[in-house]
Amino acid sequence: MEEKLIAPCGMNCSLCIAYQFREKDLNKQGFHRTYCPGCIPRGKNCTHMGDQCELLGKGIVRFCYECETFPCKRLKSLDMRYCTKYHMSMIENLKFIQENGMEMFLKKEKTTWHCPDCDGVICCHNGLCMNCNLDMLRLNKKYRWNEE
């Protein structure tokens, strides 16, 4: 996991299905998904928040926690969706980075999101490892966290 893959909103882009599909070029294996290199590497300040926040849009702040209105209404709404559907909190990520630093955050993320079978990275959007669980995703392209 790399610092440049931590978006200003607290999203760890390396956990994102669009990033993982790009990294593994999975569309060559019969999938049809949009690829994404991450917010910062593609020159966006934040896919989720950059168009809603002037400070992020202009690159004035690196992380949302640097803003005096942190967490704003938009980030709270996004965070609620990610907590409910994807088992992660952007606000908790940002607070952890603010209190413990990026290096500790990246270590924690590597431990939290590693696949026990291949040591790859688990996707936050579906709970699957794109190395070990592609067959499950082929059977149900909309698979979400432990569905039958």
Side-chain angles (χ1 to χ4, degrees), residues 1 6 10 12 15 88 93 104-114:
M1 301 209 180
I6 308 305
N12 180 346
L15 308 178
M88 64 163 291
N93 287 353
M104 289 292 292
F105 176 71
L106 294 173
K107 285 180 184 177
K108 178 181 81 69
E109 290 289 278
K110 187 173 183 177
T111 301
T112 302
W113 296 98
H114 88 280

Side-chain angles (χ1 to χ4, degrees), residues 48-76:
H48 296 297
M49 304 290 291
D51 61 340
Q52 302 287 319
C53 175
E54 185 176 335
L55 295 176
L56 284 176
K58 292 182 177 180
I60 296 170
V61 297
R62 170 63 175 97
F63 293 107
C64 289
Y65 68 74
E66 298 169 345
C67 180
E68 64 185 44
T69 62
F70 171 75
C72 67
K73 182 179 177 180
R74 171 84 172 118
L75 183 58
K76 286 178 185 176

Side-chain angles (χ1 to χ4, degrees), residues 14-134:
S14 64
L15 308 178
C16 174
I17 195 162
Y19 177 81
Q20 290 187 14
F21 263 63
R22 177 187 168 272
E23 285 295 293
K24 299 184 183 319
D25 201 10
L26 293 179
N27 285 348
K28 287 184 177 177
Q29 296 186 37
F31 292 96
H32 303 285
R33 295 201 69 107
T34 302
Y35 287 175
C36 179
C39 293
I40 302 300
R42 75 175 201 210
K44 300 284 184 185
N45 290 323
C46 187
T47 297
H48 296 297
M49 304 290 291
D51 61 340
Q52 302 287 319
C53 175
E54 185 176 335
L55 295 176
L56 284 176
K58 292 182 177 180
I60 296 170
V61 297
R62 170 63 175 97
F63 293 107
C64 289
Y65 68 74
E66 298 169 345
C67 180
E68 64 185 44
T69 62
F70 171 75
C72 67
K73 182 179 177 180
R74 171 84 172 118
L75 183 58
K76 286 178 185 176
S77 174
L78 180 65
D79 187 69
M80 183 185 303
R81 182 168 50 115
Y82 267 73
C83 285
T84 303
K85 289 184 170 187
Y86 307 127
H87 301 240
M88 64 163 291
S89 169
M90 295 171 178
I91 293 173
E92 286 178 21
N93 287 353
L94 289 168
K95 287 179 179 179
F96 189 94
I97 294 167
Q98 186 178 28
E99 293 170 8
N100 301 286
M102 183 59 72
E103 186 176 336
M104 289 292 292
F105 176 71
L106 294 173
K107 285 180 184 177
K108 178 181 81 69
E109 290 289 278
K110 187 173 183 177
T111 301
T112 302
W113 296 98
H114 88 280
C115 173
D117 297 323
C118 74
D119 206 32
V121 178
I122 294 171
C123 174
C124 71
H125 291 114
N126 55 29
L128 299 175
C129 171
M130 296 300 125
N131 295 326
C132 302
N133 305 124
L134 280 182

